[in-house]
Amino acid sequence: MLRYAAIDIGSNAVRLLIADISKSDNGFSFKKNTLVRVPLRLGDDAFLDRRISDRKVEELLKTMSAFKNLMDVYHVSAYLACATSAMREAENGAAIIKKVKQITDVDLEIIEGQREANIIYANHIEENLDIKKSYLYIDVGGGSTELSVFVNRVPIASKSFDIGTIRILDNQDKDETWDEMRDWVKENTKSLKNLAGIGTGGNINKLFRMSDEKDGNPLTFLKLKSLYNQLNSHSLKERINVFGLNPDRADVIIPACEIYITLLKWTGIKQIYVPKVGLVDGIISLLIEENLR
C-alpha cells in the first residue's frame, strides 16, 4: 500500500494526516488512514512575543518525533511538512526548523500565505462547483485568513490576510487589516452575481456538524448567525460542557464565526458550502500531483 503524509504546523494546532493512495480509471485518489491533532497553540507566543518560547519548542520537537515515528511505522514513502502563520512571524522560526531537522530528521518548510492558499486549492474543490455560480473561498486559520474568488471554476484573485482566531483572541488583529480585507473583498466581488461561499478549516467543519445539515448542502447565513448567537450566549466552560467542544475549539470558534459572518455580510452571500478539506488534504493532493502524475 502506497502511503503519503501531510504535516500542518498551524497557529492553533499541529496536524498529521497519513493517507492511503489508490489508483483507479480516473487517476489517483486517497483515503484518510490516520489523523492526529495536537493543540500546541504556537500562535500565542508568535503573535504576542514574536518568538516561540523554549517550552513550546520542546513540545513541538516531541510532537515531530512522534509524527516521524508514526510515519516510519506506517511506511510512508513521501511527506510534506508545512508551517504557517505563527512560524512565519516568529523571529526564531528558521532556528526552530534547523532544530527540528537536527533532532527529528523531519524537513519543515515555512510557507507564505499565497503558497498556503495554493496548497489548499490542490484539493480541486472547483471540480465540484456549479459553473453558474461565482464563489468566495474562505479558509480561516489561527493566524491568517486566505481568500480567493472563483469565477467559472477558475481562481481569478486570491490574498492572505493577517486575521485569524488566535490573533483575535490575543487582540493582535489590526483595524487596518480588517479595512484592507473589506476593500479587497468588495473590489473583487462587486461585479459578481449569484455569489456563494466556500468555507474550510476546523471551525467551519465543526459548525457544519453542529448545524445538522446533510453533507453537500450549504450552511445558510441565518443558520451560521443562529449558531454564533447560541455559542456566544454561553461561557467558555458551558461551550465545553453543553456543546461537547474541545477546550482548544471552544474559544477559537467564536472569532472564527465572526470572521465568516463579517465576510458574508460584506458580500451579501446567503449560503456557504463546507467541503471538509484543509491544508493537510491539499498537501496529500499536491504530493500525488508531484509524484504520480
Side-chain angles (χ1 to χ4, degrees):
M1 170 63 72
L2 184 61
R3 288 200 176 110
Y4 288 164
I7 295 173
D8 166 16
I9 296 163
S11 305
N12 187 24
V14 177
R15 293 177 183 81
L16 165 71
L17 170 62
I18 295 174
D20 297 336
I21 314 301
S22 56
K23 191 177 190 315
S24 66
D25 296 342
N26 303 325
F28 291 92
S29 62
F30 70 89
K31 183 168 174 279
K32 294 180 185 185
N33 179 313
T34 302
L35 180 64
V36 183
R37 180 181 180 276
V38 183
L40 279 192
R41 283 269 158 113
L42 298 179
D44 280 337
D45 286 0
F47 306 141
L48 290 169
D49 305 324
R50 297 291 174 261
R51 63 178 286 111
I52 312 284
S53 65
D54 292 346
R55 184 177 67 82
K56 288 277 171 84
V57 171
E58 199 52 45
E59 288 178 356
L60 180 63
L61 288 168
K62 285 177 181 169
T63 305
M64 288 302 108
S65 293
F67 285 4
K68 177 71 167 68
N69 288 336
L70 278 171
M71 291 194 294
D72 288 347
V73 168
Y74 277 96
H75 304 293
V76 164
S77 59
Y79 76 91
L80 182 59
C82 297
T84 57
S85 194
M87 290 279 274
R88 281 200 287 271
E89 286 195 26
E91 59 189 29
N92 56 341
I96 293 170
I97 287 207
K98 266 191 194 154
K99 205 165 184 182
V100 167
K101 174 64 179 168
Q102 189 187 337
I103 291 173
T104 71
D105 198 31
V106 172
D107 289 301
L108 276 190
E109 178 191 341
I110 296 179
I111 57 172
E112 289 307 314
Q114 188 55 58
R115 173 143 163 82
E116 189 176 342
N118 291 345
I119 291 173
I120 294 164
Y121 301 155
N123 288 302
H124 292 300
I125 50 140
E126 76 280 355
E127 290 168 3
N128 302 314
L129 300 184
D130 182 344
I131 200 85
K132 297 186 195 78
K133 287 182 181 165
S134 299
Y135 294 88
L136 176 65
Y137 189 126
I138 307 162
D139 182 80
V140 172
S144 63
T145 294
E146 271 65 50
L147 298 179
S148 304
V149 179
F150 278 82
V151 177
N152 297 327
R153 296 185 184 153
V154 176
I156 58 159
S158 69
K159 197 165 168 61
S160 177
F161 295 90
D162 286 342
I163 290 174
T165 57
I166 302 291
R167 215 183 277 273
I168 292 171
L169 286 179
D170 291 340
N171 292 312
Q172 297 301 305
D173 55 317
K174 298 187 172 80
D175 288 346
E176 55 264 36
T177 315
W178 281 99
D179 293 344
E180 188 194 348
M181 185 161 82
R182 182 197 60 220
D183 294 347
W184 186 90
V185 165
K186 294 205 164 182
E187 180 60 34
N188 285 284
T189 61
K190 64 184 179 191
S191 60
L192 301 175
K193 303 276 185 292
N194 214 359
L195 189 65
I198 298 169
T200 54
N203 289 296
I204 196 77
N205 288 347
K206 185 67 189 173
L207 287 159
F208 187 82
R209 285 197 295 276
M210 289 174 74
S211 76
D212 292 327
E213 271 298 345
K214 289 201 175 86
D215 279 356
N217 285 357
L219 188 57
T220 65
F221 174 77
L222 290 174
K223 187 71 192 239
L224 182 59
K225 192 87 196 321
S226 161
L227 279 168
Y228 169 68
N229 291 336
Q230 208 182 341
L231 287 162
N232 207 22
S233 67
H234 289 77
S235 68
L236 178 64
K237 200 170 177 182
E238 287 169 344
R239 291 199 291 272
I240 294 166
N241 296 331
V242 176
F243 297 100
L245 296 177
N246 288 337
D248 67 295
R249 176 71 67 211
D251 55 356
V252 292
I253 203 163
I254 297 294
C257 280
E258 287 163 359
I259 296 170
Y260 284 108
I261 286 167
T262 302
L263 285 161
L264 299 192
K265 269 186 187 162
W266 285 343
T267 51
I269 289 173
K270 299 284 188 288
Q271 295 182 321
I272 184 163
Y273 292 85
V274 184
K276 293 188 187 166
V277 293
L279 190 69
V280 283
D281 307 83
I283 290 172
I284 300 290
S285 299
L286 192 68
L287 287 169
I288 290 172
E289 281 177 17
E290 288 176 351
N291 293 295
L292 299 173
R293 295 210 167 124

PDB file of all heavy atoms in Angstrom, residues 156-167:
ATOM      1  N   ILE A 156      -9.682  33.747  -9.784  1.00  0.00           N
ATOM      2  CA  ILE A 156      -9.279  34.971 -10.508  1.00  0.00           C
ATOM      3  C   ILE A 156      -8.531  35.953  -9.594  1.00  0.00           C
ATOM      4  O   ILE A 156      -7.869  36.864 -10.066  1.00  0.00           O
ATOM      5  CB  ILE A 156     -10.500  35.685 -11.154  1.00  0.00           C
ATOM      6  CG1 ILE A 156     -11.540  36.055 -10.067  1.00  0.00           C
ATOM      7  CG2 ILE A 156     -11.121  34.842 -12.254  1.00  0.00           C
ATOM      8  CD1 ILE A 156     -12.473  37.158 -10.483  1.00  0.00           C
ATOM      9  N   ALA A 157      -8.649  35.764  -8.273  1.00  0.00           N
ATOM     10  CA  ALA A 157      -7.915  36.628  -7.337  1.00  0.00           C
ATOM     11  C   ALA A 157      -7.794  35.898  -6.015  1.00  0.00           C
ATOM     12  O   ALA A 157      -8.693  35.159  -5.627  1.00  0.00           O
ATOM     13  CB  ALA A 157      -8.687  37.934  -7.119  1.00  0.00           C
ATOM     14  N   SER A 158      -6.649  36.077  -5.336  1.00  0.00           N
ATOM     15  CA  SER A 158      -6.523  35.475  -4.002  1.00  0.00           C
ATOM     16  C   SER A 158      -5.548  36.294  -3.168  1.00  0.00           C
ATOM     17  O   SER A 158      -4.630  36.922  -3.698  1.00  0.00           O
ATOM     18  CB  SER A 158      -6.076  34.017  -4.100  1.00  0.00           C
ATOM     19  OG  SER A 158      -4.765  33.943  -4.555  1.00  0.00           O
ATOM     20  N   LYS A 159      -5.778  36.298  -1.871  1.00  0.00           N
ATOM     21  CA  LYS A 159      -4.924  37.075  -0.960  1.00  0.00           C
ATOM     22  C   LYS A 159      -5.020  36.502   0.452  1.00  0.00           C
ATOM     23  O   LYS A 159      -6.056  35.971   0.838  1.00  0.00           O
ATOM     24  CB  LYS A 159      -5.365  38.537  -0.967  1.00  0.00           C
ATOM     25  CG  LYS A 159      -4.318  39.505  -0.399  1.00  0.00           C
ATOM     26  CD  LYS A 159      -4.664  40.931  -0.784  1.00  0.00           C
ATOM     27  CE  LYS A 159      -3.842  41.956  -0.009  1.00  0.00           C
ATOM     28  NZ  LYS A 159      -2.410  41.873  -0.209  1.00  0.00           N
ATOM     29  N   SER A 160      -3.918  36.623   1.185  1.00  0.00           N
ATOM     30  CA  SER A 160      -3.871  36.172   2.577  1.00  0.00           C
ATOM     31  C   SER A 160      -3.867  37.398   3.485  1.00  0.00           C
ATOM     32  O   SER A 160      -3.159  38.369   3.209  1.00  0.00           O
ATOM     33  CB  SER A 160      -2.587  35.352   2.794  1.00  0.00           C
ATOM     34  OG  SER A 160      -2.476  34.959   4.136  1.00  0.00           O
ATOM     35  N   PHE A 161      -4.669  37.354   4.541  1.00  0.00           N
ATOM     36  CA  PHE A 161      -4.754  38.480   5.481  1.00  0.00           C
ATOM     37  C   PHE A 161      -4.413  38.018   6.888  1.00  0.00           C
ATOM     38  O   PHE A 161      -4.810  36.928   7.300  1.00  0.00           O
ATOM     39  CB  PHE A 161      -6.175  39.072   5.470  1.00  0.00           C
ATOM     40  CG  PHE A 161      -6.553  39.685   4.160  1.00  0.00           C
ATOM     41  CD1 PHE A 161      -7.177  38.922   3.176  1.00  0.00           C
ATOM     42  CD2 PHE A 161      -6.269  41.012   3.886  1.00  0.00           C
ATOM     43  CE1 PHE A 161      -7.505  39.464   1.947  1.00  0.00           C
ATOM     44  CE2 PHE A 161      -6.600  41.571   2.655  1.00  0.00           C
ATOM     45  CZ  PHE A 161      -7.218  40.803   1.684  1.00  0.00           C
ATOM     46  N   ASP A 162      -3.680  38.865   7.624  1.00  0.00           N
ATOM     47  CA  ASP A 162      -3.271  38.522   8.997  1.00  0.00           C
ATOM     48  C   ASP A 162      -4.422  38.716   9.983  1.00  0.00           C
ATOM     49  O   ASP A 162      -4.356  39.518  10.914  1.00  0.00           O
ATOM     50  CB  ASP A 162      -2.068  39.381   9.415  1.00  0.00           C
ATOM     51  CG  ASP A 162      -0.789  38.930   8.737  1.00  0.00           C
ATOM     52  OD1 ASP A 162      -0.757  37.786   8.240  1.00  0.00           O
ATOM     53  OD2 ASP A 162       0.175  39.710   8.689  1.00  0.00           O
ATOM     54  N   ILE A 163      -5.489  37.961   9.728  1.00  0.00           N
ATOM     55  CA  ILE A 163      -6.639  37.951  10.634  1.00  0.00           C
ATOM     56  C   ILE A 163      -6.957  36.478  10.887  1.00  0.00           C
ATOM     57  O   ILE A 163      -7.220  35.733   9.942  1.00  0.00           O
ATOM     58  CB  ILE A 163      -7.854  38.654   9.992  1.00  0.00           C
ATOM     59  CG1 ILE A 163      -7.574  40.162   9.894  1.00  0.00           C
ATOM     60  CG2 ILE A 163      -9.125  38.388  10.783  1.00  0.00           C
ATOM     61  CD1 ILE A 163      -8.620  40.939   9.150  1.00  0.00           C
ATOM     62  N   GLY A 164      -6.859  36.064  12.144  1.00  0.00           N
ATOM     63  CA  GLY A 164      -7.120  34.660  12.468  1.00  0.00           C
ATOM     64  C   GLY A 164      -7.665  34.551  13.883  1.00  0.00           C
ATOM     65  O   GLY A 164      -7.691  35.529  14.637  1.00  0.00           O
ATOM     66  N   THR A 165      -8.070  33.357  14.247  1.00  0.00           N
ATOM     67  CA  THR A 165      -8.783  33.168  15.513  1.00  0.00           C
ATOM     68  C   THR A 165      -7.898  33.433  16.734  1.00  0.00           C
ATOM     69  O   THR A 165      -8.311  34.107  17.671  1.00  0.00           O
ATOM     70  CB  THR A 165      -9.359  31.736  15.587  1.00  0.00           C
ATOM     71  OG1 THR A 165      -8.293  30.797  15.435  1.00  0.00           O
ATOM     72  CG2 THR A 165     -10.400  31.508  14.509  1.00  0.00           C
ATOM     73  N   ILE A 166      -6.666  32.922  16.716  1.00  0.00           N
ATOM     74  CA  ILE A 166      -5.754  33.129  17.856  1.00  0.00           C
ATOM     75  C   ILE A 166      -5.351  34.601  17.910  1.00  0.00           C
ATOM     76  O   ILE A 166      -5.274  35.208  18.980  1.00  0.00           O
ATOM     77  CB  ILE A 166      -4.481  32.246  17.721  1.00  0.00           C
ATOM     78  CG1 ILE A 166      -4.853  30.766  17.621  1.00  0.00           C
ATOM     79  CG2 ILE A 166      -3.528  32.471  18.897  1.00  0.00           C
ATOM     80  CD1 ILE A 166      -5.412  30.147  18.857  1.00  0.00           C
ATOM     81  N   ARG A 167      -5.121  35.175  16.741  1.00  0.00           N
ATOM     82  CA  ARG A 167      -4.732  36.592  16.668  1.00  0.00           C
ATOM     83  C   ARG A 167      -5.826  37.476  17.292  1.00  0.00           C
ATOM     84  O   ARG A 167      -5.545  38.430  18.002  1.00  0.00           O
ATOM     85  CB  ARG A 167      -4.504  36.982  15.201  1.00  0.00           C
ATOM     86  CG  ARG A 167      -3.383  37.992  15.017  1.00  0.00           C
ATOM     87  CD  ARG A 167      -3.282  38.377  13.562  1.00  0.00           C
ATOM     88  NE  ARG A 167      -2.517  37.448  12.755  1.00  0.00           N
ATOM     89  CZ  ARG A 167      -1.195  37.504  12.600  1.00  0.00           C
ATOM     90  NH1 ARG A 167      -0.505  38.449  13.189  1.00  0.00           N
ATOM     91  NH2 ARG A 167      -0.567  36.636  11.837  1.00  0.00           N
TER      92      ARG A 167
END
